């Protein structure tokens, strides 16, 4: 399970680099922060249950944040 967090770190790094190339600096910084967090968590060697609970917390927080941003902050 720890290896999966390193894979998530790789993909967030790829997305961050593409955002940086597309001149979306705020998005790139967000994904670079997530990359550092995922790589750090990937080398902590926690239990599988802890990794799953942290991933669920991450998903809930990101979906709430995305819904808030798209509903209240995005100008249509």
């Amino acid at each position: 399970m720890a290896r999966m967090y390193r894979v998530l770190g790789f993909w967030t790094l790829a997305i961050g680099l593409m955002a940086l190339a597309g001149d979306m600096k705020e998005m790139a910084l967000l994904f670079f922060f997530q990359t550092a967090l995922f790589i750090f968590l990937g080398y902590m060697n926690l239990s599988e249950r802890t990794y799953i609970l942290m991933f669920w917390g991450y998903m809930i927080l990101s979906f709430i944040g995305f819904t808030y941003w798209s509903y209240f902050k995005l100008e249509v």
Side-chain angles (χ1 to χ4, degrees):
M1 189 56 112
R3 186 174 288 163
M4 197 63 220
Y5 272 82
R6 287 179 243 154
V7 171
L8 284 170
F10 169 77
W11 286 113
T12 54
L13 177 64
I15 293 169
L17 289 173
M18 287 188 285
L20 193 60
D23 201 31
M24 296 182 270
K25 291 180 180 52
E26 293 86 5
M27 180 181 166
L29 289 174
L30 177 67
F31 274 86
F32 290 149
F33 172 73
Q34 289 180 26
T35 298
L37 183 68
F38 283 142
I39 297 295
F40 175 73
L41 288 173
Y43 284 104
M44 287 187 64
N45 292 326
L46 300 172
S47 70
E48 186 173 347
R49 179 181 171 90
T50 304
Y51 279 124
I52 290 172
L53 289 174
M54 283 193 305
F55 184 71
W56 273 102
Y58 168 76
M59 293 304 291
I60 290 169
L61 188 66
S62 64
F63 286 141
I64 289 172
F66 179 77
T67 304
Y68 170 79
W69 186 265
S70 62
Y71 190 77
F72 292 112
K73 298 288 185 177
L74 196 63
E75 295 181 16
V76 178

